[in-house]
Amino acid sequence: MRRRSLVAAGLLLPFGARVLSAAPAPQAITPALVEAARKEGKVTYYTAMDLSVAEPVARAFEAKYPGIKVAVERTGAERLFNRIGQEVGSNIKRVDVANSSDAAHFIVWKRQGWLQPFLTPDMAENLPADQRDPDGAFVNQRTHLSAIAYNTSLVKPEDAPKGFNDLLDPKYVGKLVKGHPGYSGTIMTATHQLSKALGWAWFEKLAKQKVLQVQSATEPPKRIEAGERAVAVDGSDYLFWMAKERGAPIEVVHAVEGTPQISNPMAIFKAAPNPNAARLLVAWIMSAEGQQFIVNLSGQYPAHKLVKAKAGRPALASIKTLPEDPAEVEKSADEIKTRYQRLFKV
Amino acid sequence: MTRDLSRPVLIAVSALLAAMIALPVGWLLVVSLTDKEGGATLANFVALFTDPTFVDPLITTLIIACSVSVICCLVAAPLGWLVARTDMPLARTVRTLVMASLVTPPFVGAIAWEMLAAPNSGLLNQLWRLISGMPPDEALFDIYSLAGLIFVISCYTFPYVFILVANALDRMPGELEDASSMLGARTWQTARRITVPLALPTLLAGALVAFLQALNLFGSPAILAIPAGFHTLTTRIWSLFQFPPKPELAAAASVPLLVLTILLLRAQAMALGRRGYAVLGGKYGSPRPIRLGWLRGPAVALALFVLAMPLFLPYAALFNSAFSRVASRIVTLETITLHNVRFTFLELSSTMPALKNTFLLATASATLGALLALLIAYIVARKAVRGHRVLAFLATAPLAIPGIVLGVGLFLAYTRPPLALYGTLWILLIAFVTIELPAAYQQLGSAFHAVHPELEEAGRMLGATRLRTLADITAPLLRSAVIATWCFIFVATIRELSAAVILFTSETKVLSVLIFDLKESGDVGAIAVLSLSMVAITTIVIAAANRLHVRPQMRPAT
């Protein structure tokens, strides 16, 4: 328990960094807001979450508020960031709500004044302080891990790696798959954490293991399930679990060195073309109902106090995780990408 | 009598073409020579040529282009000869199928080959292990390698060489070969001494076409090179557009590609320019097919084996993963599922907008492109106004601009005033029309040569303006050529990825970009469904066009 709060404090530094809070006055979901959202009729939701979760979330919202269509724009967090930057920079008003796995992006957007602070009374009450920006500019939608995993029909449990250093064993040459920090926010965050915990020397050795390099953190789980590689160095853990629960021969490993923990902030853009529908979407996703929906479907760790984590999954507090430091990621992202490319050649 | 509008039309069309080409290329050059503060500099080029993350891709790309070029010739030349000059069974079918394989977008082909030949989960490797008892870690094929990429690019490039070779052999006079055999040469001697030398210039041109294609291709490398751990020039340019975007480096990296393409096109024009001597003067009899004898069986088997690479195997893999939960497993009656189809069409919110955008853009590009090409072809073919040569040059110039380079150029040109078109479908329309104009113009240009000017002159003498004559006399005569051109642009637009991937925004996403986005997250099931839909649309359009095409065509009296 003590460790968890430590981890959380380190993890959500930007959320709780300032003591003086300038959070906006909570705004209740009134029938007038719902009506205004319905008039807009649609909302565009940019996310890095896997489509197998993001699209059902969108459909559930549509069922709750008929008449409002959700357009899901999914790509890796780094590409999302690029896309939004190019669109906003060219004065293209399209993004309503953005949600990604690289918390550093929200620091940038907030600094640029692109974000519209928003809280509902429910969010103000039920989101712990470390799960939201003190100014209400963004909130953590959910938390997941970037875990190691392996295909049990290709690796026997007794031969399975226990942690990241095990992956450097020559027996894993040509058997690993991993995501890329240039495309995936999960991997960017994890690369930063691992470079702190293990040093770049570890990546240098890993690069010699003939790793199958994919882009998004959502792909290694699919590659492992297909049997293309035996072991995933990283990847969104909820997808490993979902595949396993579906009957795929997959086992998740929480590394002895610690597992990278990834927050997934969400924010409304100031220039949102559908501001009311955007508020409604954020309010619903952050409500107990929306959070429960995500937990039931994917088992990611909720931000909402009243929502319990999914049964059958290990409790977050029981896992040794690596601390997240978005402010540091923001400063070193470019360097991380360059170093990574030098080592892995792509 | 209405005033003759030909002069203003010429000026307008020239200005339009010049703007279409000069704007992107101009901005590309300017930006490549500019530093971040806007001062003139060569630093971008210095940075590129001293940086291994750029030099390595350059070398890799040249290796790929050379290999593809050689492989394509080695495959296309014998196949073209078998189809055009021998009594191989199913020759017509083989010819049609090779052309049909061109309908497959190269990036879809690459994804399909991943399903087939990924070292562990690839269906062919699994099959091989089953047959040979090879241990699970060893693979027969590894598509994530330089050789794998070269193979896949060759699969979808050799048809271009094949078409060139087969057409040239069709036209080659039979008399020379007859003479040779009459003088006592045996079949193979004739082939070696007469046919091969006559076909050589075409083959050289084909080699250059293949080289260019491989040099400028983005789709296949984007799918296969990153997992294999290397970049090609085009994927490197694209990666410079990822965050943090470095447009000045992307522009600089585009310049070598542009220069190389222009040089190769010059070389190709020289090679094709010599083609003439094969068909010099007079009318020849149609060539006599060479009897293959007992080799007929093996020959057709070889042809079908070659066709399995771009066609049979990839489509089998696509169908398999469209109806399978996991692409690496063969669908059986028990495991067949509509999950991917349902997901793609009912859940995935980008599907319908992307389909709509694609259809809209393809229709608009085809219509606009065909009209523009028709107008230019007319002016040039009839030497309607002085300066028509400029038009011919401008209309073929985009050929020298690789898709991804054009994408970068258009991005630079239209993200700023006066025409901030980025984020609209217009910028994609401009890109597609520009890319397809050269081929469209060449098709219609040669069609014009078949229409004798007398008919138009009659119209003109009776007082019609040039435009009126064009609309009432020439256009109907060219109907089938125009329809063919329209279809050609339509199909080419649907499969275009390299410019679209630079120019799209989330609202203007097209099908090819959607597939590319899905590839990033590894959603192969949805990719298979979308790719098959894409190919189905294309095939329907071609089939419909063919039906229009077969109607009796009016032939001009000469």
Side-chain angles (χ1 to χ4, degrees):
Chain A
M1 206 52 215
R2 190 172 146 260
R3 203 173 39 75
R4 177 177 180 183
S5 57
L6 253 178
V7 164
L11 152 72
L12 296 159
L13 202 64
F15 294 92
R18 270 201 272 168
V19 186
L20 271 179
S21 161
Q27 188 185 350
I29 299 304
T30 58
L33 178 72
V34 176
E35 195 39 48
R38 217 162 253 150
K39 279 224 177 71
E40 290 164 357
K42 61 174 193 286
V43 54
T44 308
Y45 173 46
Y46 283 47
T47 182
M49 182 158 53
D50 192 66
L51 284 166
S52 65
V53 185
E55 294 284 7
V57 166
R59 300 297 89 80
F61 174 81
E62 286 171 356
K64 172 89 178 177
Y65 296 103
I68 308 172
K69 293 283 288 173
V70 184
V72 176
E73 173 74 13
R74 195 224 92 89
T75 185
E78 306 304 310
R79 290 174 71 183
L80 213 57
F81 185 63
N82 195 28
R83 210 168 277 186
I84 288 175
Q86 273 178 2
E87 290 183 0
V88 175
S90 304
N91 211 15
I92 298 165
K93 293 188 176 65
R94 159 95 165 148
V95 53
D96 288 312
V97 176
N99 158 226
S100 97
S101 50
D102 188 339
H105 297 161
F106 291 80
I107 302 175
V108 178
W109 288 333
K110 183 184 172 187
R111 191 193 307 132
Q112 287 167 328
W114 290 3
L115 302 182
Q116 174 64 52
F118 172 72
L119 282 177
T120 60
D122 173 48
M123 287 156 75
E125 193 187 328
N126 290 315
L127 293 183
D130 62 6
Q131 297 291 308
R132 56 186 165 94
D133 174 57
D135 302 321
F138 49 91
V139 293
N140 183 26
Q141 189 197 69
R142 69 211 137 82
T143 298
H144 71 278
L145 306 176
S146 171
I148 296 176
Y150 63 94
N151 184 317
T152 52
S153 50
L154 299 173
V155 179
K156 284 190 227 104
E158 58 268 29
D159 294 337
K162 304 272 183 295
F164 291 104
N165 282 313
D166 286 359
L167 298 176
L168 304 180
D169 192 302
K171 71 177 174 185
Y172 292 119
V173 171
K175 298 199 173 171
L176 306 174
V177 55
K178 88 178 287 302
H180 194 295
Y183 307 96
S184 161
T186 300
I187 309 294
M188 170 53 86
T189 309
T191 305
H192 175 257
Q193 295 171 358
L194 289 172
S195 68
K196 287 278 172 255
L198 308 170
W200 277 99
W202 180 78
F203 283 96
E204 217 175 305
K205 288 177 203 140
L206 186 71
K208 302 204 171 85
Q209 294 285 74
K210 289 203 185 145
V211 176
L212 175 65
Q213 181 70 67
V214 296
Q215 299 177 31
S216 172
T218 63
E219 188 167 2
K222 296 160 196 170
R223 292 292 187 155
I224 294 291
E225 185 179 3
E228 178 46 45
R229 287 293 189 270
V231 181
V233 178
D234 49 27
S236 303
D237 69 331
Y238 62 95
L239 293 170
F240 291 128
W241 289 111
M242 285 166 78
K244 183 184 169 173
E245 285 156 8
R246 193 169 62 227
I250 288 182
E251 208 52 71
V252 179
V253 176
H254 293 119
V256 290
E257 298 91 344
T259 298
Q261 179 170 330
I262 321 290
S263 61
N264 289 266
M266 173 167 68
I268 298 170
F269 270 69
K270 242 181 209 151
N274 308 293
N276 296 300
R279 284 173 173 80
L280 202 57
L281 179 67
V282 168
W284 182 77
I285 291 179
M286 295 316 295
S287 72
E289 187 185 337
Q291 293 273 297
Q292 194 66 59
F293 186 88
I294 294 177
V295 169
N296 289 349
L297 183 62
S298 69
Q300 295 178 82
Y301 300 104
H304 198 285
K305 272 181 201 161
L306 302 180
V307 178
K308 297 255 177 321
K310 186 166 185 166
R313 301 276 179 93
L316 189 55
S318 72
I319 302 166
K320 180 182 176 189
T321 54
L322 294 174
E324 195 180 358
D325 188 351
E328 211 28 66
V329 171
E330 197 244 314
K331 278 185 222 132
S332 54
D334 211 8
E335 191 208 326
I336 290 175
K337 282 179 196 173
T338 312
R339 285 187 95 147
Y340 192 91
Q341 189 180 357
R342 288 263 147 78
L343 293 177
F344 288 85
K345 306 288 174 217
V346 281
Chain B
M1 197 168 114
T2 42
R3 214 156 54 86
D4 195 333
L5 288 170
S6 52
R7 183 107 208 131
V9 164
L10 174 79
I11 294 169
V13 173
S14 308
L16 180 69
L17 288 184
M20 275 164 71
I21 297 154
L23 264 176
V25 176
W27 275 112
L28 194 78
L29 295 176
V30 168
V31 172
S32 72
L33 293 168
T34 311
D35 60 21
K36 281 211 161 59
E37 281 72 45
T41 178
L42 280 173
N44 296 322
F45 289 97
V46 175
L48 283 181
F49 283 102
T50 51
D51 182 353
T53 66
F54 173 75
V55 177
D56 291 351
L58 180 66
I59 295 166
T60 311
T61 306
L62 291 176
I63 294 173
I64 291 174
C66 291
S67 317
V68 166
S69 182
V70 171
I71 293 173
C72 285
C73 288
L74 288 179
V75 174
L79 197 64
W81 179 76
L82 280 176
V83 164
R85 302 310 287 264
T86 72
D87 62 346
M88 182 181 77
L90 296 175
R92 278 187 70 90
T93 316
V94 168
R95 190 183 281 231
T96 314
L97 285 176
V98 175
M99 310 257 242
S101 71
L102 278 180
V103 167
T104 318
F107 59 94
V108 170
I111 295 171
W113 268 100
E114 269 192 296
M115 298 164 183
L116 287 165
N120 299 304
S121 57
L123 298 172
L124 291 179
N125 282 318
Q126 290 188 53
L127 184 71
W128 176 249
R129 267 181 230 121
L130 205 66
I131 297 171
S132 71
M134 199 165 63
D137 289 334
E138 279 163 47
L140 186 60
F141 309 104
D142 181 1
I143 208 70
Y144 302 120
S145 62
L146 191 60
L149 178 58
I150 290 170
F151 169 77
V152 170
I153 297 179
S154 304
C155 276
Y156 297 96
T157 305
F158 92 85
Y160 296 102
V161 186
F162 169 86
I163 292 170
L164 274 176
V165 171
N167 286 349
L169 289 173
D170 281 344
R171 282 194 311 263
M172 198 184 281
E175 273 78 358
L176 290 173
E177 286 171 344
D178 287 347
S180 159
S181 28
M182 270 184 264
L183 291 169
R186 270 176 298 166
T187 309
W188 300 110
Q189 228 171 343
T190 304
R192 196 161 52 81
R193 295 265 174 86
I194 308 289
T195 321
V196 171
L198 282 176
L200 219 51
T202 313
L203 202 59
L204 184 61
L208 286 167
V209 167
F211 190 95
L212 272 174
Q213 186 78 8
L215 183 71
N216 294 330
L217 194 63
F218 170 72
S220 311
I223 304 295
L224 296 175
I226 293 172
F230 62 86
H231 267 299
T232 64
L233 261 187
T234 50
T235 61
R236 186 76 185 108
I237 292 174
W238 171 76
S239 79
L240 287 170
F241 257 74
Q242 303 307 300
F243 195 81
K246 302 183 183 83
E248 64 289 340
L249 280 182
S254 302
V255 173
L257 214 51
L258 192 64
V259 172
L260 214 54
T261 307
I262 292 172
L263 288 177
L264 285 166
L265 281 173
R266 291 293 312 154
Q268 191 202 337
M270 283 163 68
L272 273 181
R274 292 168 54 197
R275 184 190 56 190
Y277 77 84
V279 285
L280 261 183
K283 287 223 161 82
Y284 294 102
S286 62
R288 213 152 37 113
I290 290 167
R291 293 232 171 80
L292 289 174
W294 65 272
L295 282 171
R296 291 180 80 215
V300 74
L302 177 77
L304 293 177
F305 176 76
V306 170
L307 274 170
M309 304 302 153
L311 216 54
F312 307 144
L313 287 173
Y315 280 96
L318 283 174
F319 271 104
N320 183 63
S321 57
F323 299 103
S324 165
R325 182 77 219 207
V326 180
S328 60
R329 252 165 262 149
I330 297 273
V331 156
T332 61
L333 277 179
E334 283 89 62
T335 60
I336 191 162
T337 169
L338 286 176
H339 172 268
N340 296 321
V341 180
R342 227 175 303 135
F343 175 78
T344 307
F345 288 106
L346 299 179
E347 285 206 341
L348 189 60
S349 33
S350 303
T351 305
M352 285 307 155
L355 274 174
K356 211 181 96 204
N357 285 339
T358 306
F359 206 73
L360 202 66
L361 275 169
T363 312
S365 309
T367 310
L368 214 64
L371 279 176
L372 196 58
L374 185 67
L375 196 59
I376 299 165
Y378 170 76
I379 296 176
V380 175
R382 295 293 172 262
K383 305 181 171 55
V385 256
R386 247 181 304 163
H388 60 86
R389 270 179 218 287
V390 179
L391 271 188
F393 169 75
L394 285 174
T396 38
L399 210 56
I401 314 173
I404 195 137
V405 175
L406 185 71
V408 173
L410 288 173
F411 177 86
L412 298 172
Y414 294 114
T415 39
R416 58 189 93 220
L419 279 173
L421 295 179
Y422 178 66
T424 64
L425 288 175
W426 292 105
I427 193 167
L428 288 164
L429 181 67
I430 293 175
F432 295 152
V433 170
T434 312
I435 291 173
E436 304 312 335
L437 188 62
Y441 162 71
Q442 280 165 353
Q443 278 188 11
L444 287 174
S446 54
F448 260 104
H449 286 296
V451 180
H452 203 274
E454 277 167 6
L455 289 170
E456 288 166 18
E457 278 153 18
R460 295 273 287 154
M461 272 188 273
L462 292 170
T465 63
R466 272 193 198 288
L467 289 179
R468 180 80 196 269
T469 327
L470 182 63
D472 287 356
I473 296 177
T474 322
L477 288 174
L478 289 168
R479 219 190 66 168
S480 64
V482 172
I483 291 171
T485 306
W486 191 92
C487 289
F488 173 84
I489 305 179
F490 187 92
V491 171
T493 302
I494 286 189
R495 34 177 280 163
E496 212 290 329
L497 174 69
S498 58
V501 82
I502 302 279
L503 296 174
F504 84 101
T505 54
S506 45
E507 194 131 28
T508 54
K509 208 185 267 184
V510 289
L511 211 47
S512 56
V513 175
L514 175 59
I515 292 176
F516 190 66
D517 263 5
L518 287 169
K519 182 67 193 87
E520 187 238 33
S521 51
D523 291 303
V524 281
I527 291 174
V529 172
L530 284 173
S531 303
L532 289 173
S533 318
M534 190 170 178
V535 173
I537 296 174
T538 318
T539 313
I540 290 168
V541 169
I542 295 175
N546 274 339
R547 295 203 62 161
L548 288 171
H549 209 77
V550 289
R551 289 212 199 148
Q553 192 186 337
M554 268 197 281
R555 289 205 181 279
T558 47

